[in-house]
Amino acid sequence: MVMSSALTGLSRYPIVQAPMAGGASRPQLAAAVGAAGGLGFLAAGYKTPAAMYEEIKHLRAQSDVPFGVNLFMPQPATSDPSAVAVYAEQLAGEAAWYETPLGDPDSGNDDAYEAKLAILLDDPVPVVSFTFGCPTRAVCEALARVGTVTVVTVTTVEEALAAHAAGADAVCVQGIEAGGHQGTHRDDPHAQGMGAGLGLLALIELVRDAVPLPLIAAGGLMRGTQIAAVLAAGASAAQLGTAFLVCPESGAHELHKRAMTDTTFTRTELTRAFSGRPARGLANRFLREHGPYAPVAYPQVHHLTSGLRKAAAKAGDPQGMALWAGQGHRLAREMPAGHLVEVLVDELEAARAALAARAGLAAPQPRTGAGDVA
């Protein structure tokens, strides 16, 4: 039970800990997952290049197993400044309530991509994945030359074809069930509605038919039985985020962790309320009140609301936080990350054994002749 093709040798088990930007995917979590036989990831999104490099050094000091780093692709300047200004006016009441100013929406839209990439080329890591777009062929080839496996997050067949054309080694196929941001390469609400994405199992089959690349399946996966399902569907590995978010090694805020199984939060929704890009989170007050009016403007809205979200967390108010969560969040189990990997593997093996047993029972039995003893 190992990863295949370009992913071979990266981990003992086909379990990937998702790179969750915002603090959850810290070195302690990646190290614990790696030590247990999974593939841990650091999230470089929203960090400075120096902070990203410090986390890499911290992780290397804790563990010598392979790991990955996720980069956000630079975003095109397509947002409407007037729409952002109108949204800022709407958020004025939130700023007054939390006694904090709104952020500057023009704080940058490239997430220091080139500087982070330069560090990863100078001091390579085993895996680099990309979200919110596809790197150029030149970037994929440069990373290949230093021994780095490249993975591109995709949400459609068209995006998977672009990743293949760019020379990516694998794709992370993200279904609509996934928590946090949808990794679409282009946020175009006129081409498809915010909730019009594909479910994971359908997307796996479509992408598998379209490109000859290993697939990492992501979206709402919380149990080993679900991992067995996506592997049976053709994925080489399963990526879990929400499942690891509640682990003690995760850097997620305690209010965020507790909210995963809090009966106050009954559902998840896709929203642009916090960042200007579709992202799935627990439906709280902020999401309900502002989601319908948030413009298509990432990362401008992210910068605008950053201080509000931090102030809400400081005030102990989950109703003002971005509580990113996949559709399976109520299945979250609070346990050490290494133990969670072990439990997931046990569940996966049990699911495979049960499937094999059912297949044996369903196999046609040899027919007996008239003189045979049945």
Side-chain angles (χ1 to χ4, degrees):
M1 183 175 58
V2 296
M3 293 193 189
S4 64
S5 190
L7 304 175
T8 299
L10 292 176
S11 64
R12 181 180 178 188
Y13 302 122
I15 296 173
V16 180
Q17 165 249 310
M20 295 171 282
S25 296
R26 60 183 180 176
Q28 295 94 316
L29 179 61
V33 170
L39 179 64
F41 255 92
L42 297 175
Y46 309 136
K47 292 184 175 70
T48 65
M52 178 196 75
Y53 190 51
E54 284 302 313
E55 287 207 340
I56 292 172
K57 291 194 295 183
H58 188 184
L59 177 52
R60 284 172 170 158
Q62 296 182 62
S63 172
D64 60 358
V65 299
F67 64 93
V69 175
N70 177 255
L71 299 181
F72 286 173
M73 293 297 297
Q75 298 300 291
T78 57
S79 64
D80 180 357
S82 63
V84 176
V86 169
Y87 192 55
E89 291 178 6
Q90 181 180 333
L91 296 178
E94 299 282 354
W97 176 257
Y98 291 115
E99 299 181 337
T100 190
L102 296 175
D104 178 7
D106 299 317
S107 298
N109 62 359
D110 68 350
D111 201 48
Y113 171 77
E114 294 292 346
K116 292 173 183 176
L117 186 60
I119 291 172
L120 295 171
L121 287 170
D122 182 63
D123 191 358
V125 299
V127 188
V128 171
S129 67
F130 300 86
T131 300
F132 301 152
C134 184
T136 64
R137 174 169 281 277
V139 166
C140 289
E141 290 176 347
L143 287 166
R145 285 194 294 271
V146 297
T148 297
V149 172
T150 51
V151 181
V152 176
T153 304
V154 302
T155 63
T156 66
V157 168
E158 292 74 20
E159 292 172 357
L161 289 169
H164 183 228
D169 294 307
V171 290
C172 178
V173 179
Q174 185 194 47
I176 196 71
E177 307 94 334
H181 284 93
Q182 290 289 296
T184 50
H185 293 188
R186 181 166 176 257
D187 183 14
D188 183 358
H190 303 297
Q192 63 177 36
M194 187 162 56
L198 290 168
L200 180 56
L201 288 177
L203 188 58
I204 289 172
E205 194 67 28
L206 290 166
V207 172
R208 191 164 68 94
D209 281 352
V211 297
L213 293 175
L215 313 183
I216 300 173
L221 305 178
M222 303 291 290
R223 294 284 192 266
T225 50
Q226 295 171 297
I227 297 173
V230 297
L231 296 181
S236 296
Q239 179 171 287
L240 293 77
T242 303
F244 286 107
L245 185 144
V246 298
C247 294
E249 297 91 344
S250 160
H253 196 283
E254 287 303 315
L255 290 175
H256 193 171
K257 293 183 179 183
R258 290 201 296 269
M260 292 299 102
T261 53
D262 187 340
T263 55
T264 301
F265 302 103
T266 59
R267 68 186 191 280
T268 64
E269 290 184 17
L270 285 171
T271 185
R272 289 191 175 90
F274 298 101
S275 72
R277 229 183 193 277
R280 184 174 296 282
L282 299 178
N284 60 5
R285 178 194 61 78
F286 194 103
L287 184 153
R288 290 191 297 269
E289 291 183 1
H290 302 294
Y293 312 105
V296 180
Y298 177 87
Q300 288 80 6
V301 172
H302 163 77
H303 296 316
L304 194 69
T305 67
S306 178
L308 295 178
R309 289 177 274 128
K310 292 176 182 176
K314 186 176 181 180
D317 181 13
Q319 296 296 334
M321 298 169 60
L323 302 173
W324 303 138
Q327 288 184 340
H329 66 95
R330 295 297 291 274
L331 297 173
R333 298 173 287 197
E334 186 179 354
M335 61 179 71
H339 183 46
L340 178 57
V341 172
E342 294 171 357
V343 170
L344 290 168
V345 170
D346 288 344
E347 292 172 345
L348 170 57
E349 293 287 19
R352 284 176 158 173
L355 183 60
R358 286 195 294 271
L361 289 173
Q365 298 299 313
R367 299 180 63 181
T368 58
D372 295 334
V373 177

